[in-house]
Amino acid sequence: MENIKLSELFSKNVFDDKVMRERLPKSTYKQLHKTIDEGLELDPSVAEVVANAMKDWAIEHGATHFTHWFQPMNGRTAEKHDSFLSPTSDGRVIMEFSGKELIKGEADGSSFPSGGLRQTFEARGYTVWDCTSPAFLKEDISGVALCIPTVFYSHTGEALDKKAPLLRSMEVIEEAALRVLRALGDTESKKVITTIGAEQEYFLVDKRQYQQRKDLIFTGRTLFGAMPPKGQEMEDHYYGSIKEKIGKFMREIDIELWKLGVPSKTKHNEVAPAQHELAPIFATANVASDQNQLVMEVLQKVANRHDLACLLHEKPFRGVNGSGKHDNWSLVTDTGINLFSPGKQPKENLSFLIFLAATIEAVDKHADLLRLSAATAGNDHRLGGNEAPPAIISIFLGDQLTELLYHIARGEEMDDLTKEVMEMGVATLPKLKKEVTDRNRTSPFAFTGNKFEFRMFPSSGCISEANVIMNTMVAETLHEFADKLEGAEDLQKAVNRIVRHALKNHGRIIFNGNGYSEEWVEEAARRGLPNYTSTVDVIPALISQKSIDLFSKLKVFSEVELHSRYEILIEEYYKTINIEARTMLSMAKTQIMPAVINYMTQVAQNVSIMTSLEKFNIDAQSEMLTELNTLLNSLKRAIDELEIVHKETIQIEEGLEKAQAFRNNVLPKMEALREVADKLETIVDEKIWPIPTYSELLFRV
Ligand SMILES: NC(=O)CC[C@H](N)C(=O)O
């Protein structure tokens, strides 16, 4: 295997700060930096110079095309490639790329989900350069293209993408956080940056088997499949030694990502068989979000090269762990202070206490929105089962930190958080100090020492969704706290009052116990915490008065934008289930039924031969035939029932009721059909069964 030099490879395909410093005139470089650092408007003359340098760099690296790269509201990325080619008057061609082309592009806004923001006749949408996320080269056998991260706006100025709201929310929380820091006497920090580390879970299956399953191809998850004799109960896959074939794939993933400047750091086997994880080092929220999109794309592309298929769905297999994208969120100042780092003496660390209290208060106030940020038809199957957090939002702080906050609230003295030494009972082992908080993987929103880990987020989602909500809701609370802190005579007392108030009114959101337990569901209900078990239940939260007030006050979403996103969520939900229902019907009718009938014919032929020989007992075959026949009839009934309900539901006028009907009427019929088919799978000859089974998909790679 060839040797790679990581330091040379890293960021090779990125027009990053180092390249800009080398290639831009000093004054342009300075001006661009000022724009990025101080959030100023971009000067077109700067764009012209940057465009030229970018083009030269890209062409030197083999690029022939450029594309604005954006994130429309379908949660994926979009690109349209234009070559640098430009004809001259004497019939030759030159390579051109202007400042205008760098800054602005056009795309048909009505061909992407717009939730009514764009009618078909109102086509114009603009992509606008986001200079805070570096341009990069996509390089594969189809060529090299310069990709320019952009936001996507409508002609009338509404955001049509997932990036613009994230950028807005980052500015909003920065402003609120700086207000608090100033009030607490910090005169040095000039910037507060949202940082994100997105852990990506995924499954790998054999490509040929994947191609034989319409459900995986069309819906990303298995709609049929009996449990194999072994699942994940031996707990032998998590962190298990990595098979060579998978290791080879992971190596290529790392190389591809490093070239793109994605700081891929950790790789390991996950809990479920065939499940794995990739985690990068954290980055600025906007860059981390762009990079996570690239991670998902590269995972799928490279899997294909290795004759594998990468499944990003939240619950590709029933009965084993699903996949999340744990979103590690924090706030850091430009002076290097992590605002969620408790430090040595957290009780005297006023900013830590304030930012912690603000998060507690915001998460309790807007638990519905945070839940909504992780709500998809796919994630509904994951939450609340097999090592995934429940659908109830709560915060894990750990006992010591919780105790500290309550002491402060009660005005009592408390010793500093101490780190005990771990007793391991072996003299030769080094003496280690216990961490102040344990980890709690059952919590949807866990404090992990210097950041919060939003574990509820779905593996296939675009992380901007969660971070827009987190930033905005915490910014709102920070502003309220800043009102109280500005002009306070005794800061320590004012902070203690804020902590007391936050705990008194919002302490119910703190839960350090087992989030998987039944008792927690009851306890949460007693505490009045919402439990939205389905996406359709929580979608309306987006257009509640509370949500409209929050987002319009801080100018992250206008009311019109909220409504459009509400429409998209509804559509996305029922379209997903519609495709699933149709796929199930197709598989059941054209694959499973015929296979069962085939097998029955074989058994029946055997019965008739054996009977004609007159000396054999044919009880076993007859019993089998009877069982198969009963199940075949049940299968046919289940197909008919799903078909009828699906036909009725699809005709309902578009809107929330349609989504509700898909959830209430179609999903249960799909469930009933699966139950019969899965039963049949366990008795039909496996050579005849028409689709690869869980045993093959999960254990053969
Ligand atoms: N050990 C783990 O972290 C499992 C996480 C789990 N796969 C989830 O869905 O979130």
Side-chain angles (χ1 to χ4, degrees):
M1 195 170 274
E2 74 184 297
N3 256 340
I4 52 160
K5 208 159 180 198
L6 177 49
S7 53
E8 278 169 24
L9 197 72
F10 191 74
S11 216
K12 176 179 162 277
N13 285 347
V14 185
F15 194 73
D16 59 8
D17 198 62
K18 190 172 143 267
V19 182
M20 288 198 276
R21 209 172 16 216
E22 278 164 20
R23 292 186 172 245
L24 293 176
K26 230 186 197 135
S27 61
T28 314
Y29 174 78
K30 267 195 183 155
Q31 257 179 299
L32 183 65
H33 240 282
K34 212 167 142 64
T35 309
I36 299 172
D37 294 344
E38 296 172 25
L40 304 174
E41 208 175 306
L42 188 76
D43 180 341
S45 66
V46 172
E48 202 58 53
V49 183
V50 178
N52 210 34
M54 223 185 238
K55 177 201 69 185
D56 290 345
W57 170 81
I59 289 173
E60 279 168 37
H61 284 76
T64 50
H65 288 71
F66 70 92
T67 175
H68 278 196
W69 184 74
F70 57 105
Q71 298 167 19
M73 292 194 277
N74 58 19
R76 290 177 182 76
T77 56
E79 50 194 67
K80 177 190 74 154
H81 297 229
D82 281 306
S83 71
F84 291 115
L85 208 83
S86 178
T88 58
S89 52
D90 57 0
R92 289 178 307 119
V93 288
I94 51 165
M95 295 297 183
E96 236 178 21
F97 181 52
S98 67
K100 228 170 99 197
E101 285 170 305
L102 168 64
I103 293 180
K104 192 170 143 202
E106 230 187 276
D108 180 355
S110 62
S111 296
F112 294 102
S114 75
L117 273 180
R118 304 268 78 197
Q119 305 298 331
T120 358
F121 62 93
E122 295 174 330
R124 242 181 244 272
Y126 295 108
T127 52
V128 183
W129 181 33
D130 164 24
C131 61
T132 63
S133 181
F136 57 91
L137 298 173
K138 264 199 202 179
E139 181 192 14
D140 56 30
I141 51 165
S142 64
V144 184
L146 169 67
C147 298
I148 299 144
T150 52
V151 291
F152 187 35
Y153 276 100
S154 77
H155 184 60
T156 38
E158 281 99 10
L160 289 175
D161 69 350
K162 307 230 174 193
K163 185 191 257 274
L166 178 65
L167 292 174
R168 291 177 189 159
S169 78
M170 287 169 70
E171 288 183 8
V172 159
I173 197 161
E174 172 165 27
E175 191 190 326
L178 282 173
R179 248 191 94 193
V180 165
L181 290 177
R182 292 285 177 269
L184 292 174
D186 173 344
T187 51
E188 277 175 40
S189 304
K190 289 197 180 61
K191 282 173 76 73
V192 173
I193 303 144
T194 317
T195 62
I196 298 299
E199 302 167 18
Q200 181 70 52
E201 292 183 325
Y202 60 93
F203 280 80
L204 286 176
V205 297
D206 180 81
K207 186 162 86 180
R208 283 173 309 262
Q209 288 174 348
Y210 168 89
Q211 283 164 343
Q212 287 165 44
R213 295 214 43 149
K214 289 188 210 169
D215 49 3
L216 287 180
I217 294 173
F218 295 129
T219 75
R221 72 178 180 109
T222 52
L223 300 168
F224 296 102
M227 265 314 269
K230 182 184 177 209
Q232 63 187 41
E233 63 273 53
M234 299 305 283
E235 301 176 321
D236 52 359
H237 195 253
Y238 189 56
Y239 282 20
S241 74
I242 299 169
K243 284 185 190 161
E244 201 169 66
K245 184 173 169 72
I246 305 296
K248 210 169 142 210
F249 158 85
M250 286 176 165
R251 178 182 156 92
E252 193 171 332
I253 288 289
D254 274 340
I255 292 174
E256 291 290 335
L257 291 177
W258 289 335
K259 281 199 271 186
L260 288 164
V262 180
S264 172
K265 174 85 177 161
T266 309
K267 51 188 177 187
H268 61 84
N269 288 349
E270 252 301 330
V271 173
Q275 193 185 27
H276 312 277
E277 177 174 317
L278 179 157
I281 297 172
F282 67 86
T284 306
N286 178 33
V287 173
S289 175
D290 284 357
Q291 291 186 339
N292 181 256
Q293 293 289 347
L294 288 173
V295 167
M296 291 194 283
E297 186 177 319
V298 170
L299 280 171
Q300 288 181 309
K301 190 151 91 177
V302 174
N304 192 42
R305 286 183 205 154
H306 288 247
D307 285 330
L308 296 165
C310 173
L311 311 179
L312 294 170
H313 194 282
E314 292 66 42
K315 197 74 176 178
F317 300 98
R318 176 176 292 177
V320 295
N321 269 23
S323 297
K325 176 148 38 211
H326 302 169
D327 181 48
N328 292 280
W329 174 85
S330 190
L331 295 170
V332 182
T333 67
D334 57 341
T335 50
I337 302 164
N338 179 342
L339 295 170
F340 288 108
S341 180
K344 285 213 165 63
Q345 291 183 316
K347 65 179 182 191
E348 283 158 30
N349 185 344
L350 298 188
S351 64
F352 168 70
L353 293 173
I354 282 295
F355 281 88
L356 189 63
T359 309
I360 293 169
E361 186 160 329
V363 172
D364 185 46
K365 257 193 207 164
H366 299 295
D368 52 352
L369 292 175
L370 195 55
R371 167 70 183 90
L372 177 68
S373 76
T376 62
N379 215 20
D380 284 354
H381 299 289
R382 165 179 168 253
L383 297 181
N386 296 90
E387 299 208 23
I392 309 161
I393 294 278
S394 65
I395 299 184
F396 167 82
L397 288 184
D399 291 336
Q400 281 212 39
L401 200 53
T402 310
E403 206 185 315
L404 172 81
L405 288 184
Y406 276 98
H407 268 82
I408 291 172
R410 289 194 294 263
E412 293 166 4
E413 275 301 311
M414 185 193 170
D415 295 339
D416 287 332
L417 305 187
T418 47
K419 286 191 173 184
E420 289 169 39
V421 172
M422 274 196 283
E423 215 22 270
M424 288 175 285
V426 180
T428 50
L429 293 178
K431 299 276 168 283
L432 298 181
K433 287 192 173 167
K434 272 190 191 166
E435 292 299 325
V436 171
T437 57
D438 192 3
R439 279 166 57 99
N440 183 330
R441 72 197 157 85
T442 72
S443 174
F445 198 76
F447 183 69
T448 53
N450 58 7
K451 60 185 168 55
F452 280 96
E453 183 180 0
F454 184 41
R455 298 176 61 88
M456 190 184 263
F457 202 71
S459 51
S460 66
C462 165
I463 49 166
S464 301
E465 302 268 311
N467 298 306
V468 167
I469 299 214
M470 235 118 76
N471 284 349
T472 314
M473 69 189 190
V474 176
E476 179 192 46
T477 313
L478 286 173
H479 274 302
E480 284 164 18
F481 288 2
D483 290 341
K484 293 179 187 156
L485 291 170
E486 284 164 359
E489 274 171 26
D490 184 329
L491 277 177
Q492 179 82 53
K493 276 196 183 139
V495 170
N496 290 0
R497 247 196 322 272
I498 287 173
V499 170
R500 190 178 321 129
H501 183 270
L503 282 188
K504 184 162 161 263
N505 297 304
H506 304 284
R508 63 175 185 164
I509 199 76
I510 302 169
F511 176 62
N512 296 327
N514 179 6
Y516 296 164
S517 67
E518 264 311 304
E519 294 84 71
W520 169 232
V521 177
E522 289 158 27
E523 165 68 14
R526 269 195 297 280
R527 292 187 189 189
L529 298 177
N531 182 4
Y532 299 102
T533 52
S534 160
T535 294
V536 283
D537 296 337
V538 72
I539 289 177
L542 192 63
I543 50 163
S544 69
Q545 197 53 50
K546 176 171 76 77
S547 168
I548 295 171
D549 290 347
L550 168 73
F551 289 112
S552 46
K553 180 171 62 189
L554 291 169
K555 298 196 173 59
V556 172
F557 288 121
S558 66
E559 194 171 338
V560 175
E561 286 173 331
L562 282 178
H563 273 275
S564 76
R565 275 154 218 261
Y566 166 80
E567 299 293 339
I568 290 171
L569 283 171
I570 290 172
E571 267 179 36
E572 223 171 54
Y573 182 83
Y574 72 71
K575 284 181 179 169
T576 303
I577 300 187
N578 182 38
I579 295 171
E580 289 183 346
R582 280 161 48 180
T583 307
M584 269 197 119
L585 285 170
S586 156
M587 290 173 77
K589 289 203 287 193
T590 66
Q591 294 185 288
I592 296 174
M593 276 263 283
V596 176
I597 292 170
N598 254 346
Y599 183 50
M600 283 173 71
T601 311
Q602 273 189 24
V603 181
Q605 275 165 354
N606 180 277
V607 169
S608 101
I609 296 167
M610 293 301 199
T611 313
S612 69
L613 294 176
E614 284 182 4
K615 58 184 243 214
F616 293 103
N617 176 343
I618 51 146
D619 288 357
Q621 294 93 313
S622 297
E623 262 173 49
M624 251 176 98
L625 209 49
T626 311
E627 192 184 1
L628 284 165
N629 194 242
T630 312
L631 284 170
L632 181 69
N633 281 308
S634 307
L635 186 74
K636 177 73 173 68
R637 258 199 313 280
I639 291 172
D640 291 346
E641 285 178 22
L642 174 58
E643 202 149 41
I644 292 168
V645 168
H646 175 251
K647 256 195 200 123
E648 282 165 14
T649 314
I650 198 73
Q651 270 153 28
I652 300 175
E653 207 182 309
E654 280 170 26
L656 187 62
E657 284 95 75
K658 187 167 189 158
Q660 284 165 338
F662 265 95
R663 199 267 317 265
N664 297 335
N665 308 337
V666 178
L667 271 183
K669 294 292 177 204
M670 287 166 56
E671 201 45 53
L673 173 56
R674 175 172 185 161
E675 204 179 304
V676 193
D678 287 1
K679 181 92 211 344
L680 277 161
E681 188 197 313
T682 63
I683 56 174
V684 169
D685 182 350
E686 64 178 26
K687 289 197 281 308
I688 289 181
W689 195 251
I691 50 175
T693 61
Y694 272 27
S695 301
E696 289 163 319
L697 289 163
L698 290 169
F699 292 97
R700 287 273 170 91
V701 171

